[in-house]
Amino acid sequence: MDRSVEDELETQRFAMKRETIVVVEDESDILDVLEYNLAREGYRVRAFRDGEQGLDGVRRANPDLVLLDLMLPVLDGVEVCRRLKQDPITRSIPVIMLTAKGEESDVVLGLGVGADDYMTKPFSPKELLARVKAVLRRGPLKEERGKGDRVVYGGLVIDTSRHEVLVDGERVDCTATEMRLLHFLASHPGRVFSRDHLLSRVIGEDAVVLDRNIDVHVGSLRKKLGEYRNWIETVRGVGYRFADATGG
Ligand code: CA
C-alpha cells in the first residue's frame, strides 16, 4: 500500500469516536492479545484481572462494551454480569462473555443473567473484532419494557418499573427522585457516594426537580422507610451509603 494512503487511513481511524471497552480477564497472555488487538483498532481499552475490580472498573469507566471472562478470581463472570445487568446505571452496556470449551452450561447461565453474546476460547483476533463490531453496532440496549427492576432487602422492596417501594408489604409513597435515589443506593450496597455524585447520577437529568439538596431527599426518604431508615447510612464528611445487608 502507498505510504500516504496508509497514513491517511491511520488518521481516519483515530479521528473516529474512540469507544471504550472494558476487558476482564485473568490470563495474562489472553489479556495481552485482547488489549493489543483492540487498541490497534482504535478502541480505548481498560483491563482488569478479577471480577471485583472489573465490576468497579465498569462502573467507573462507563464503557461501550464489556468483554468478560467466565472464570475469574474473587467474583466470577456470571456474577459480574448479573450485577451489571441488575444495576439500572450499567444494565444497557453490552457484555460479551469469554468462555473456555466445555463450559457450555455456564454459557447458558451467562446468557440467562443477561450477557449479550459469548465467544468460546480459543478465538482468533479477527473473529473477536468482528464480534465486537457487531455488538457495538447494535448500540446500547433498550430497556425491556415491563421488565422488573426490583431490588429486595428483607422487607424492603424497591421496584422502579412498577414505581413502588414496599416496606414490610406496605406501599410507601415516594417521589420519583426519592425512588431513584433509594434504588441507586440499594443497587450498590456498601459503596459510599458523595453528595455530588448522587446529585449527578440521581437528579442530574431530571430538570423538574427543584430541590437539588441531596440531604433533603435523604431525610424525607428516611422518614418513609420506618425501621429500615438506618439502612441509608450517613458517612460523615463524605456522603451516603446503603448498608451492606448482604455482607452478613
Ligand atoms: Ca479465566
Side-chain angles (χ1 to χ4, degrees):
M1 204 189 297
D2 184 78
R3 187 61 187 262
S4 62
V5 173
E6 214 169 346
D7 286 351
E8 177 62 22
L9 285 175
E10 192 72 1
T11 310
Q12 280 178 12
R13 188 190 290 161
F14 284 96
M16 292 186 323
K17 175 189 171 284
R18 293 185 71 194
E19 285 156 314
T20 303
I21 299 180
V22 162
V23 183
V24 194
E25 169 63 80
D26 58 320
E27 285 157 79
S28 295
D29 46 351
I30 299 180
L31 186 58
D32 289 349
V33 170
L34 291 172
E35 273 192 287
Y36 173 78
N37 283 283
L38 292 169
R40 212 173 61 137
E41 282 298 298
Y43 297 114
R44 186 180 287 125
V45 184
R46 299 274 180 275
F48 301 93
R49 289 163 186 275
D50 75 49
E52 197 170 81
Q53 287 175 11
L55 188 60
D56 195 50
V58 172
R59 286 172 177 159
R60 286 166 192 272
N62 191 26
D64 299 282
L65 176 72
V66 182
L67 291 178
L68 182 61
D69 184 30
L70 189 69
M71 303 296 281
L72 287 168
V74 192
L75 273 184
D76 67 33
V78 167
E79 188 54 31
V80 172
C81 187
R82 192 199 313 278
R83 294 194 194 181
L84 290 176
K85 295 299 179 180
Q86 271 173 357
D87 182 344
I89 307 293
T90 54
R91 69 184 311 163
S92 63
I93 302 169
V95 175
I96 300 179
M97 294 284 254
L98 309 178
T99 73
K101 269 208 166 67
E103 293 175 340
E104 278 78 8
S105 62
D106 291 326
V107 166
V108 174
L109 194 56
L111 295 176
V113 295
D116 303 276
D117 204 348
Y118 71 92
M119 293 199 70
T120 307
K121 296 179 202 172
F123 44 76
S124 71
K126 205 173 150 192
E127 265 180 283
L128 172 86
L129 291 171
R131 201 70 71 87
V132 163
K133 280 178 191 155
V135 171
L136 283 174
R137 251 197 317 271
R138 282 186 230 151
L141 307 167
K142 303 281 173 287
E143 278 201 27
E144 291 167 59
R145 280 181 79 91
K147 187 172 178 200
D149 201 354
R150 280 159 67 91
V151 177
V152 181
Y153 282 102
L156 178 63
V157 178
I158 308 138
D159 190 331
T160 54
S161 62
R162 302 176 68 163
H163 198 80
E164 59 180 19
V165 174
L166 302 174
V167 172
D168 293 332
E170 294 269 17
R171 206 182 154 181
V172 172
D173 278 325
C174 287
T175 65
T177 303
E178 287 163 3
M179 175 159 308
R180 222 180 298 155
L181 177 63
L182 180 61
H183 188 269
F184 182 70
L185 286 169
S187 303
H188 304 85
R191 262 191 85 189
V192 185
F193 294 97
S194 69
R195 289 174 174 80
D196 281 349
H197 190 131
L198 291 173
L199 202 59
S200 64
R201 265 350 233 297
V202 177
I203 302 183
E205 64 276 52
D206 195 346
V208 196
V209 177
L210 296 175
D211 199 337
R212 302 186 67 83
N213 186 338
I214 276 291
D215 297 351
V216 172
H217 296 290
V218 169
S220 161
L221 197 48
R222 278 182 176 149
K223 280 190 197 127
K224 295 172 181 178
L225 293 182
E227 62 171 304
Y228 300 110
R229 56 179 296 136
N230 295 332
W231 287 14
I232 302 178
E233 299 173 338
T234 303
V235 181
R236 202 190 294 207
V238 186
Y240 294 98
R241 153 178 79 199
F242 195 81
D244 193 356
T246 57

